[in-house]
Amino acid sequence: MPRQLGELEDAVMTRVWQWNRPVTVREVLEDLQQERSIAYTTVMTVMDNLHQKGWVRREVDGRAYRYTAVSTRAAYSAALMNEAWSRSDNPAAALVAFFGMMSAEQREALGDAMRVVAPAFPEPSGSAPDDEAAADEAPPESGR
């Protein structure tokens, strides 16, 4: 399970995820410098650390490396949510509290996500509301 990224790690990974292409330390540095004063060696160290931790892969390009994200921001966010939920001593209560914190837009996104994944998870036997209707529509068994 990945641990939460630090502030600077997150700022670097945000760019790698947003740009969705191999990036150099220089490119990330120049973008970060628009919002903070930061040294090339600091960004280089952070990107090397992210590589060592398995967040990015890198390939040599001339005298520099080009870094690419190993997974998506969505996968990272999902892993953090799963980790937090799995640490709860009452997962159902944690979900109720989490859902209660959601905005209308977040609840709508949750509904959309559930419609996407629902077909992958069959209803437990006997709990699907259409079980009886489906049985009524089934052809009668032959006596043979």
Side-chain angles (χ1 to χ4, degrees):
M1 167 62 215
R3 69 169 182 78
Q4 187 169 356
L5 295 169
E7 179 191 348
L8 190 52
E9 290 174 327
D10 186 67
V12 169
M13 284 306 300
T14 293
R15 283 147 179 88
V16 175
W17 282 320
Q18 284 176 343
W19 296 339
N20 197 28
R21 61 173 172 78
V23 300
T24 64
V25 170
R26 175 77 51 205
E27 290 173 307
V28 174
L29 170 71
E30 290 171 358
D31 199 60
L32 284 171
Q33 285 178 330
Q34 294 177 25
E35 56 189 50
R36 66 175 86 190
S37 176
I38 190 165
Y40 180 91
T41 53
T42 301
V43 177
M44 182 176 64
T45 299
V46 168
M47 293 185 82
D48 184 60
N49 289 343
L50 289 167
H51 175 255
Q52 296 299 321
K53 293 175 182 180
W55 289 102
V56 293
R57 70 177 61 89
R58 66 184 180 194
E59 294 181 12
V60 176
D61 183 14
R63 292 179 31 196
Y65 285 113
R66 288 207 174 265
Y67 295 84
T68 307
V70 170
S71 68
T72 65
R73 176 149 218 144
Y76 165 68
S77 297
L80 289 179
M81 288 187 289
N82 187 57
E83 174 69 13
W85 185 50
S86 68
R87 289 184 180 196
S88 173
D89 59 349
N90 187 339
L95 282 175
V96 168
F98 179 64
F99 295 156
M101 295 176 190
M102 290 180 151
S103 68
E105 294 81 20
Q106 290 169 323
R107 286 191 301 273
E108 185 177 334
L110 176 62
D112 293 343
M114 291 304 296
R115 282 186 285 284
V116 169
V117 299
F121 297 102
E123 292 287 333
S125 64
S127 68
D130 292 337
D131 281 351
E132 289 180 26
D136 290 342
E137 295 172 10
E141 292 184 28
S142 67
R144 303 190 290 170

